[in-house]
Amino acid sequence: MAEEIKKLSSIEVENRNKKKEFRNLFFIALAGLVCFFGIWELIVRLGLIELRYLNPPSMVVSTFFRKLVDPTPEGSTIPQHFWASFRLALCGFIIAVIIGIPLGWIMGYYKTANRLIRPLFEIMRPIPPIAWIPISILWLGIGYKAKAFIIFVSAFVPCVINAYTGMTMTSQTLIDVSKTCGASKWQVFKTVCIPSSLPMVFTSLKISLGNAWSALVAAEMLAATRGLGYMIQQGRNFVRSDIIICGMLVIGISGALMSAGLSFIEKKATPWRTQK
C-alpha cells in the first residue's frame, strides 16, 4: 500500500513538473514573439525602413482582418484564397502519399524492386520542383492539374525516402522471430516492417506537407486567379508588403497547425514511442 501511495505521489510530482516546464517554455516563446514584433514595429515607425519596403506588424494585422471580408485589391478574400490553396495542396499531397509511401516500403523490403527503381529515383530526386513547371505546362496545360502536379513532385520525394529508410531500419531480430514463428514474407512485411516504419512515415508526412505548402507560390504562378501564392504575387505587383506578409503568415500558420495535427495522429498510431 505504501509503495502504491509513493508511486502515485511520484506521478503527481512528475505531472506537476511537466506542467511547470510547459508554462515556462510558453512564456519564453511568447516573450520572444513580443520582442521580435516589437522591434519590427519600432524599426518601421522610426523610419529606419520605408513603408514601401516593409509595413509594421500593426498594419499587417489590420490588413489581415480587413482581407477576411474585403476582396480588394486582388479580387478575393483570405478565406477564398486559403480554400483554393488548401484544395490544391491537399490534392498534390495526398497523391504523393498514396504513391510515394508504398513505393518506399516496396523498395525498402524487396531488394529486386530497390535495384530496379532506385537508379531512376536517384536521377529524379535532385531535380527541384520548379524545374518541372515547363514540362508540366506541355503535358497538362496551365490549369489545376499542372499546379497539383508541381505540388505532387515536391511532396513525393520525402515520402519515398523516409518510407524506405523506415523499412530498412526494422529490427532484424523481430523479422527473424516472426519467420521462426512461421510467418510468411508478406506477413512479416505487413505485421512487422510496416508498423516499425511508421515513425519515419509520419516524419515524411510532415516534411512532405511542408514542401507542398512551400511549392504553392511556384504552382500558383501557372495562370492562377485565386490562392495564397496568387495573393503573394499580386501583393508584389501592387507593391503591398502587408498583403505579401499576410499571405506568408497564413501559409506558415496553416502548415504549422497541420503539422501539429499529424503529430497528434502519430501519438495515437504509434503509442509505443511515448511509453516509458
Side-chain angles (χ1 to χ4, degrees):
M1 186 68 179
E3 291 181 0
E4 291 181 0
I5 293 173
K6 189 182 292 184
K7 187 181 293 185
L8 288 173
S9 62
S10 65
I11 292 173
E12 289 178 0
V13 171
E14 186 179 352
N15 290 337
R16 197 179 301 118
N17 290 336
K18 286 182 179 179
K19 289 179 181 179
K20 185 177 179 180
E21 183 181 2
F22 176 79
R23 283 198 300 269
N24 291 338
L25 292 173
F26 173 79
F27 285 117
I28 291 172
L30 184 62
L33 288 173
V34 170
C35 289
F36 173 76
F37 288 111
I39 293 170
W40 176 4
E41 183 84 23
L42 191 63
I43 288 173
V44 179
R45 293 298 180 185
L46 291 176
L48 300 177
I49 298 179
E50 295 183 26
L51 279 174
R52 61 176 177 168
Y53 295 122
L54 183 66
N55 292 126
S58 57
M59 189 175 294
V60 173
V61 171
S62 174
T63 300
F64 174 80
F65 285 108
R66 180 178 58 79
K67 285 289 298 172
L68 290 175
V69 293
D70 185 2
T72 58
E74 79 284 354
S76 299
T77 62
I78 284 180
Q80 291 171 332
H81 285 307
F82 172 78
W83 178 241
S85 294
F86 178 75
R87 287 189 304 142
L88 182 61
L90 195 63
C91 177
F93 172 72
I94 289 175
I95 296 173
V97 169
I98 291 173
I99 298 175
I101 289 178
L103 182 62
W105 280 339
I106 291 169
M107 289 172 61
Y109 189 70
Y110 296 99
K111 292 182 180 180
T112 303
N114 183 40
R115 290 169 182 165
L116 180 66
I117 301 170
R118 191 177 182 89
L120 179 61
F121 178 75
E122 289 297 331
I123 293 172
M124 295 176 61
R125 182 167 64 90
I127 302 174
I130 198 168
W132 289 89
I133 290 179
I135 200 166
S136 69
I137 293 174
L138 289 176
W139 290 348
L140 304 168
I142 56 174
Y144 185 88
K145 292 180 181 179
K147 290 180 281 188
F149 175 76
I150 298 301
I151 293 174
F152 160 78
V153 170
S154 68
F156 174 72
V157 171
C159 286
V160 176
I161 292 175
N162 284 275
Y164 169 83
T165 304
M167 186 62 66
T168 57
M169 289 173 60
T170 304
S171 171
Q172 188 61 43
T173 302
L174 293 176
I175 295 174
D176 292 340
V177 169
S178 301
K179 290 180 178 178
T180 302
C181 293
S184 65
K185 198 168 185 178
W186 167 249
Q187 289 173 325
V188 172
F189 174 75
K190 182 177 65 173
T191 60
V192 177
C193 295
I194 288 180
S196 178
S197 70
L198 284 181
M200 288 299 295
V201 167
F202 276 101
T203 299
S204 76
L205 293 179
K206 293 173 187 176
I207 297 172
S208 297
L209 185 62
N211 286 0
W213 280 102
S214 299
L216 266 179
V217 176
E220 289 178 343
M221 289 171 63
L222 303 180
T225 57
R226 185 174 288 177
L228 295 171
Y230 173 77
M231 176 181 171
I232 292 171
Q233 294 289 342
Q234 292 302 305
R236 181 200 64 182
N237 294 336
F238 290 115
V239 196
R240 291 282 303 274
S241 63
D242 53 338
I243 291 177
I244 295 172
I245 296 170
C246 278
M248 293 168 63
L249 286 175
V250 173
I251 290 174
I253 293 170
S254 301
L257 291 174
M258 291 178 188
S259 180
L262 284 174
S263 296
F264 176 78
I265 296 171
E266 180 183 6
K267 289 180 181 178
K268 298 296 182 181
T270 59
W272 61 86
R273 296 193 69 197
T274 55
Q275 288 177 355
K276 294 182 180 179

